[in-house]
């Protein structure tokens, strides 16, 4: 089972990848939205902001997200690490319910280029 520190490192790695993206992927990453990632098996939530093509984690909170944010992710720590490492296909994981992504329809269309 992935630890909280490993999950934070995975989010930082994802942020670095987004920051270095080019073309359509860069345009998709260039949102300014509040974001949370609930790690279900650890019952911890990383909350922050997607801005400037990066994810800035501002808080690590116990339990599920406390506030409604614009982009919400939920998954196990192992799935987060596997997604970021390219070992788990996002579309298949989302389709099977292993990963939950909630966002406005417009944001979903933009985010699909990232994922």
């Amino acid at each position: 089972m992935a630890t909280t520190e490993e999950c934070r490192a995975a989010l930082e790695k994802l942020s670095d990848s987004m920051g270095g993206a080019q073309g359509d992927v860069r345009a998709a990453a260039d949102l300014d939205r509040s974001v949370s990632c609930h790690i279900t098996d650890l019952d911890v939530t990383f909350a922050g902001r997607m801005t400037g093509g990066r994810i800035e984690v501002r808080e690590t909170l116990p339990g599920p997200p406390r506030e409604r944010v614009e982009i919400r992710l939920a998954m196990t720590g192992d799935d987060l690490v596997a997604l970021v490492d390219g070992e788990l296909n996002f579309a298949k994981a989302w389709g099977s319910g292993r990963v939950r992504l909630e966002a406005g329809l417009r944001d979903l269309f933009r985010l699909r280029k990232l994922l």
Side-chain angles (χ1 to χ4, degrees), residues 11-60:
L11 286 171
E12 288 175 14
K13 183 177 177 180
L14 175 61
S15 182
D16 290 344
S17 295
M18 289 170 51
Q22 301 294 320
D24 287 345
V25 175
R26 175 64 183 187
D30 201 18
L31 294 170
D32 186 12
R33 303 286 189 273
S34 57
V35 63
S36 70
C37 182
H38 182 227
I39 307 302
T40 56
D41 57 336
L42 298 174
D43 199 25
V44 67
T45 297
F46 296 97
R49 190 134 198 106
M50 182 184 290
T51 185
R54 299 187 56 83
I55 298 171
E56 297 174 5
V57 175
R58 296 181 178 165
E59 296 181 284
T60 304

